[in-house]
Amino acid sequence: ECRQMRQLMVVVVGVMLGLAQPQAQQVKPQGPEGSQLGFYLGKWTEEGQSRQTPSAAFGKLTGEETWAWFSGGSSVVCRETTQDKAGETDSIYILSYDAGKKVYTMYGTDNYGVIYALTGTYEKDVWRWTGDTRKDGVSTPTRYTFRAAGSGSHTMDVETSTRGAWSRSTSLTYKRASR
């Protein structure tokens, strides 16, 4: 099952890389739920801290990401590059609204082979995503919380669970990038 999911993600990411250009697009989002994904649109710089394990010290994390509507306006696509003490990470994410299930979905992968599969909710400028990150067959429960902040910026906290205990692994502040 994990192998099939990984193969599906490789195909999806390949199609997205071939079709999606992460630049500002004038696409009308589908429905009021889909328009909430506009929260992420644009080019952002990231600065904060991360750690690899719950007992490790936090280190500096910086990066850039670009979000754009995917054709048809039902999804947004993100390309992200981050740098921390472990090195550079390149990622791609696809966020959508599943009208049938009435839930937001996030799927993604990075150059280290991590697979992201989460569902999300949006309420009062706060996005909450819960699900799993998987690498080499190991699944880790993960939570992301994005909050609107002043001056058009937003913050993100990532928590992971190890044997039922949640701990913060990443905290970032996003600011609009200069054009």
Side-chain angles (χ1 to χ4, degrees):
E1 181 178 298
C2 185
R3 179 185 225 173
Q4 290 173 333
M5 178 63 132
R6 186 174 294 227
Q7 289 172 338
L8 174 63
M9 286 302 298
V10 168
V11 170
V12 168
V13 169
V15 169
M16 298 307 283
L17 287 173
L19 299 177
Q21 295 298 316
Q23 50 189 296
Q25 299 175 16
Q26 298 299 321
V27 176
K28 185 176 179 184
Q30 295 183 353
E33 294 86 2
S35 69
Q36 299 302 333
L37 293 168
F39 173 91
Y40 296 99
L41 293 177
K43 186 170 182 162
W44 301 88
T45 60
E46 313 167 14
E47 190 169 316
Q49 57 184 5
S50 68
R51 62 183 174 181
Q52 299 299 315
T53 66
S55 60
F58 281 99
K60 183 176 182 176
L61 176 90
T62 60
E64 295 182 347
E65 62 182 36
T66 302
W67 292 84
W69 288 111
F70 185 63
S71 301
S74 62
S75 303
V76 292
V77 178
C78 172
R79 291 294 310 260
E80 176 186 49
T81 301
T82 59
Q83 183 76 37
D84 65 10
K85 62 184 176 184
E88 185 171 283
T89 303
D90 292 317
S91 307
I92 186 167
Y93 304 96
I94 305 164
L95 280 61
S96 299
Y97 181 71
D98 184 333
K101 293 183 178 179
K102 298 189 184 315
V103 67
Y104 292 94
T105 60
M106 178 192 347
Y107 298 101
T109 191
D110 67 26
N111 58 310
Y112 291 102
V114 178
I115 305 291
Y116 304 86
L118 300 104
T119 58
T121 60
Y122 176 78
E123 186 176 346
K124 298 181 182 175
D125 290 332
V126 177
W127 282 94
R128 289 184 173 84
W129 297 92
T130 57
D132 293 306
T133 55
R134 291 183 302 280
K135 183 174 185 205
D136 299 328
V138 177
S139 181
T140 303
T142 306
R143 302 189 291 214
Y144 289 74
T145 303
F146 290 85
R147 288 181 167 70
S151 304
S153 63
H154 59 268
T155 63
M156 178 191 73
D157 288 310
V158 180
E159 300 169 284
T160 57
S161 177
T162 305
R163 293 183 290 280
W166 288 93
S167 63
R168 185 170 45 91
S169 62
T170 305
S171 290
L172 290 174
T173 298
Y174 295 80
K175 294 181 181 173
R176 291 240 179 242
S178 303
R179 294 194 184 260

